[in-house]
Structure formats: structure tokens, C-alpha cells
Amino acid sequence: MTCKNCNSSLFQQKIGRCKSCMWQLTLLSLISWPLWWYFYADAPKQINSIALLFFCTAFTGLLSLHLLVLGYCTLIDWVNSKR
């Protein structure tokens, strides 16, 4: 990763600040959920289905966390600029 936030070793400094991470997670979520739905929605107890479902949930959860922190940081910056 090339941005200064991704080169940081602290997890809290990376979340919600790295646009390339958010784009990667968006792309992975948009690819993985339709794949799971098309191939494994009818057999959710197969090992392959569970593994892909786990990764889909992880991608989407991390993306949600990124977007939540991005919204929080944007709101805090907006409030601070009004003062």
C-alpha cells in the first residue's frame, strides 16, 4: 500500500482513512456476494459455501467499519471547522 495511513502499524490509524483499502473491500464485496449467491445459496452447509460466506461477511464487515469511521471522522472535522 502506498498511502501514509496504510504504512502505519496501528490499526486505529488505518480504519476509515485509506481510500484504496475501501475500494478494494468494495470490489471484493461486490464480487464475492453474487458468487456465493449463484453457486452456493442452494447448499449453505457445504464447506465451500461456509468458507465463501465467511469471507463475504468479513469483507462487508470491514468495509462497514471503514465507512462508519470515515463518516465519524468527516463529521468531527466538519464540526471543528465550524468553530
Side-chain angles (χ1 to χ4, degrees):
M1 307 265 174
T2 58
C3 68
K4 64 181 171 90
N5 293 320
C6 286
N7 290 332
S8 173
S9 62
L10 294 176
F11 183 71
Q12 294 87 354
Q13 292 177 351
K14 295 178 189 180
I15 287 292
R17 292 171 181 86
C18 181
K19 303 290 187 219
S20 63
C21 293
M22 287 188 258
W23 281 113
Q24 289 172 5
L25 288 169
T26 302
L27 184 65
L28 287 170
S29 294
L30 289 175
I31 290 171
S32 60
W33 279 111
L35 281 176
W36 181 84
W37 186 260
Y38 182 74
F39 288 114
Y40 298 112
D42 56 342
K45 293 185 179 181
Q46 290 181 353
I47 295 296
N48 297 340
S49 174
I50 294 169
L52 186 57
L53 189 61
F54 176 76
F55 284 114
C56 293
T57 305
F59 294 146
T60 306
L62 190 55
L63 178 62
S64 299
L65 183 63
H66 268 286
L67 294 175
L68 183 70
V69 172
L70 176 66
Y72 175 76
C73 291
T74 304
L75 181 66
I76 293 299
D77 290 342
W78 181 73
V79 168
N80 288 339
S81 69
K82 290 283 187 176
R83 291 182 181 180

